[in-house]
Each structure stands twice: as C-alpha cells, then as structure tokens.
Amino acid sequence: MPDQPATPSPYTDSVRAYYAAHPSPLVAATGIVLDSRGRVLVLTTSYKTELDLPGGGVEDTETPEEGLARELKEELDLSVPVGRLLAVDSRPPGPLGRSLVVHVHLVGPLTPEEASAISFPDGEITEARWLTPEEAYEALPARNAPRLSAALAALYAGSLAHLIGGVPQPGSPAGFDPARRAELEHAGAYDPADHRAARPKALTAASVIFTDSAAGVLLVRPAYGDTDHWNLPGGGIDSDLGEIPRAAARREVLEELGLDLAPGRLLGVNWSHRPGYPARVRFLYDGGTLGSADLARIRLPGTELLQWRAVAPAELRRFVKPALRRQIEACLGARATGAGPLELHAGRPLDQTHGPTGTDPAGEPR
C-alpha cells in the first residue's frame, strides 16, 4: 500500500507558538500504589521533610499517565501499568505562582514480587513504606491526605472524585460527605447535573436458579476472582445498552451455559450493601428443572467458567458464600410454595428477624 500523505495540521506556526508560550497550570500525576493487602505506598524523599506519594510533574508533551509511568520507573525502578483515573485535584497558585492540576491514578495492586523489587535508582527516594490507608492518612501532609482519601473512595465506589484544593466538590461523584450531600439535596441546592453525579450508584445483576431432576441447584465455578466460591448462572445487566433484567438473565445463560432458555417467573430481588462500595441488586429468576438432555447440551466458555455441577440444597454451604446461599434457599422456598417475588436483604426476607450486627442468626458473616 502506498504511503498516505500526512494530514495537514489545522494550526499555523504562529498559533502553535502562541500556545507553546501561553501561561498554563502546572500538571502533576500522583500514583495510589497498592499492594496485594490493600496497603498504600508512602515515600520519604531526599528533598522534602514530609512524606509523599509516588509521582511528580508532567513534562513537555507527556500525558499524565506517561509522566507517572516515567516517575515510577525513575524513582522506584517500577515498570507497571498506570491504572484508571481516580481523582483530579485543582489547586490555586502557590509559592511558584502557578496553579496546579493533579491527576491521581491507581497503580496495582502490586504482586509481592513487584513490591519486593522496588529500589531507588536515582537517589531521590530514601525510603518506601507500606501503610494501611488509615496510617497513611495520619502520616501524609495536609495537601496529600485528603487526596488519598478521596481517591480511595472513588476506587471503592467505581467512580471519580472532583477536588479543588483537596476538598471534594458538591457535585463530585465520589469522596463528598454523604451527610452533607443529603443536606444540600433537602435544601434544593443541587442543580440537576450535580444531583445525578453525586447520587449513590448501584450495580445490578440477574441470575437464574436451575435444578436437576434430583432437586440439585446448578452452580458454575468462575475462572476468575475467588475460584473456591461457586455462583449461579448469570451476570451484570447492561443497563447502559437498554437491557432489562429478564433479557440479561437469558443472555447470560446463553453465554455461560450455551442454553437459550427464557427465564421463568421472578422469585426474588436481593439488595446487599457494603459501606463505601456501591449497593448490589440481584434479580433471581426461576429457570425450572433441566432434564438430562438439557444438561448434556451445556457448553461452558473456558475463559470464564471452569466447571458446572448440580448441588443438593443441603450441600450449598460448601460451595457458595453465605449471602448467596440464603438467596438461593429463600428463592427455592418461594418456588416450592408459589410465593414471591421476595424482597431480600443480603439473602434474608425483610420481615425475618436479623441476628447481631454483621452476622446472620446462625452467627455467619453477612
């Protein structure tokens, strides 16, 4: 194929020279470097009296991601991908007379081997310590501690924090104080855009409960994450594509089992919540009883699922987490009696007496 002519620049030399010389904010990139235990990497430098987070100024034509990757390599001999953007912090002019824009990115979690290989080739770093998030908040200076706090809030919420001077803004999707957000909502102080951005989000999924002729529940073993805990067939609802829960259940069963089966009636809707993380909502459908011919047609996607099996209800405790076991048991009861759909919280019908905080009535973790 012949060389294609270069696309001419839409800018003249004088326009490019103008923008090259135009005063602009300083740009920096900071890394929230985590290890496999969730600890934060905090640095002691040769040129500051305060502790610091990894990162530094973005140079010339670098992007923030490129600048952070360079700093990690130069200062820590660390060659790892720079992850997603967690926060953007804008600061007014300081001692240098320039405003500053800081992009905060996730790095890691590092494997134990990557963490142990950290060194200080250029001499600017003199010590690297792994601290719990709480220890890091206490140890870091006032300009960095709020940035770390907001970035981790964005990480757990799957969102982004908008900061000015380290302070999360009212419309920030993550990091803003929930009680303060509620005050502003009740006072009518939010515009529609900020209100949508700041409202807490939920993750939604759809699952199907199939049984075999012996009343065993069909479970699948994931090839990712915690492979010791099995799941129901199902997965996330592509609500951004207009997918509804029932359609998602059918799509997931086809993708995971190779069976194109319309789900039966809705047995329950489960709500679960872990502080700091998005709530999770699961729609559980009745898949009916699969005969031997249906079971023989199951084909698993090897990259996603390792195996399937039908598990007797009495054996569920060995295979699934307690909250999922309670969901399955409640839905099997609704299926047998024709009750429902059930409203469940962490697998418990809402009219059921809860045990002590953090446990179910049998003393199991929620």
Side-chain angles (χ1 to χ4, degrees):
M1 177 181 295
D3 293 337
Q4 298 295 316
T7 302
S9 170
Y11 304 114
T12 64
D13 289 344
S14 61
V15 170
R16 288 196 295 272
Y18 169 80
Y19 280 106
H22 198 69
S24 60
L26 299 172
V27 179
T30 293
I32 306 299
V33 182
L34 302 181
D35 70 359
S36 58
R37 296 165 55 187
R39 296 180 301 176
V40 179
L41 185 65
V42 175
L43 306 178
T44 301
T45 71
S46 61
Y47 52 89
K48 290 180 184 176
T49 58
E50 304 169 322
L51 294 177
D52 206 354
L53 293 168
V58 176
E59 298 179 354
D60 299 326
T61 59
E62 289 180 329
T63 65
E65 293 85 352
E66 291 169 340
L68 178 55
R70 174 182 50 76
E71 289 282 347
L72 293 171
K73 180 61 178 176
E74 291 176 355
E75 295 188 344
L76 302 173
D77 198 22
L78 189 57
S79 297
V80 294
V82 172
R84 74 176 186 85
L85 181 65
L86 297 175
V88 176
D89 188 10
S90 302
R91 290 188 173 271
L96 298 178
R98 301 277 291 279
S99 60
L100 174 67
V101 177
V102 183
H103 287 231
V104 185
H105 286 266
L106 173 67
V107 178
L110 303 187
T111 65
E113 294 75 19
E114 290 169 335
S116 63
I118 288 175
S119 62
F120 317 129
D122 68 359
E124 290 191 357
I125 307 302
T126 58
E127 183 185 15
R129 286 188 281 166
W130 294 100
L131 303 179
T132 67
E134 293 75 18
E135 292 170 340
Y137 301 149
E138 292 294 325
L140 288 167
R143 72 177 183 281
N144 277 345
R147 197 177 292 162
L148 171 63
S149 176
L152 288 179
L155 171 63
Y156 302 144
S159 191
L160 180 75
H162 170 207
L163 314 177
I164 297 179
V167 178
Q169 297 304 289
S172 177
F176 192 65
D177 179 60
R180 178 59 180 153
R181 185 204 73 232
E183 290 178 6
L184 293 175
E185 287 177 338
H186 296 154
Y190 268 122
D191 63 44
D194 282 350
H195 182 262
R196 286 193 300 273
R199 286 300 302 166
K201 310 300 188 289
L203 302 178
T204 55
S207 298
V208 182
I209 298 178
F210 293 105
T211 52
D212 66 3
S213 58
V217 179
L218 193 150
L219 300 177
V220 291
R221 185 184 181 197
Y224 51 87
D226 185 355
T227 59
D228 290 333
H229 286 109
W230 296 50
N231 297 320
L232 289 170
I237 300 169
D238 292 334
S239 56
D240 56 339
L241 299 177
E243 189 174 53
I244 63 174
R246 181 172 293 275
R250 183 167 188 167
R251 172 182 55 78
E252 286 285 345
V253 167
L254 178 59
E255 292 176 357
E256 294 189 347
L257 303 181
L259 302 177
D260 188 11
L261 301 172
R265 72 184 184 90
L266 181 66
L267 296 174
V269 177
N270 184 74
W271 175 280
S272 62
H273 177 248
R274 179 181 173 190
Y277 290 77
R280 293 178 177 268
V281 182
R282 186 201 301 263
F283 294 79
L284 297 117
Y285 292 93
D286 183 6
T289 299
L290 297 180
S292 57
D294 290 323
L295 295 174
R297 290 192 296 115
I298 291 178
R299 297 292 182 270
L300 302 180
T303 57
E304 186 176 353
L305 299 175
L306 298 174
Q307 62 186 117
W308 69 270
R309 67 184 298 165
V311 175
E315 298 296 316
L316 287 172
R317 190 182 299 268
R318 293 175 46 207
F319 292 91
V320 301
K321 293 181 179 180
L324 179 56
R325 174 179 58 81
R326 292 192 294 267
Q327 293 172 57
I328 296 172
E329 292 172 346
C331 288
L332 288 176
R335 180 185 184 189
T337 62
L342 301 177
E343 184 179 358
L344 307 173
H345 181 205
R348 302 181 185 86
L350 288 187
D351 59 353
Q352 178 178 329
T353 301
H354 284 44
T357 301
T359 63
D360 71 5
E364 292 182 336
R366 290 182 183 233

